[in-house]
Amino acid sequence: MTTNLAFEHTPDGRKIVVGRELSVGRDIAWNLLRNTQQWTEWGPSVRAVECNQQFIDIDTTGRVQTVGGLWLPFEITSCMSYRWHWRVMKLPATGHRVDQPSTGSPREGCRVIFELPILAAWYIPVCSRALDRIESILL
């Protein structure tokens, strides 16, 4: 499937959104994104996760190991309505959300989206790769 790029006004301000339509139910995609035990399967920059919760919620904390082997602390700052955000090393990081399919899409399905700060445009290829992996896991 095709990755879509756009600028969007989100609750956190203007962001680059990287998204893809998938032919799976919204709850299935949402549970994958929230499941810390699966982050290494779809997150290209995540090598390992230490967290006391399998499914994140607001105020969940832990740490992720990056490609270079560095462990970074994280905190989930919001998690509701099919949308979650986090801080990594106390800095705002990529937002994650699962929307209803776009108008004109098949009724069954969803749209998985990553929200990036404008200055993080360099991270678009990583998000696109994550969407490839998510699609291969779910389909």
Side-chain angles (χ1 to χ4, degrees), residues 69-80:
L70 185 63
W71 284 95
L72 305 175
F74 74 84
E75 176 186 6
I76 305 301
T77 57
S78 68
C79 185
M80 56 190 278

Side-chain angles (χ1 to χ4, degrees), residues 20-118:
R20 185 172 300 170
E21 301 271 341
L22 298 177
S23 59
V24 298
R26 192 175 186 195
D27 287 330
I28 293 169
W30 177 241
N31 285 333
L32 176 72
L33 292 181
R34 290 183 52 232
N35 187 342
T36 60
Q37 294 178 4
Q38 290 188 285
W39 287 358
T40 59
E41 295 175 36
W42 59 263
S45 58
V46 177
R47 292 294 172 251
V49 179
E50 289 182 353
C51 183
N52 62 357
Q53 293 177 246
Q54 180 178 353
F55 291 93
I56 59 156
D57 207 341
I58 185 92
D59 295 330
T60 298
T61 60
R63 60 187 199 145
V64 291
Q65 185 181 42
T66 64
V67 173
L70 185 63
W71 284 95
L72 305 175
F74 74 84
E75 176 186 6
I76 305 301
T77 57
S78 68
C79 185
M80 56 190 278
S81 303
Y82 295 93
R83 185 173 188 264
W84 68 266
H85 283 83
W86 61 341
R87 289 183 169 274
V88 178
M89 288 187 54
K90 300 192 184 241
L91 299 171
T94 305
H96 306 72
R97 76 179 202 244
V98 182
D99 288 352
Q100 298 289 353
S102 300
T103 304
S105 296
R107 183 159 174 76
E108 180 66 29
C110 66
R111 186 165 183 249
V112 176
I113 297 169
F114 296 109
E115 300 174 353
L116 302 170
I118 303 297

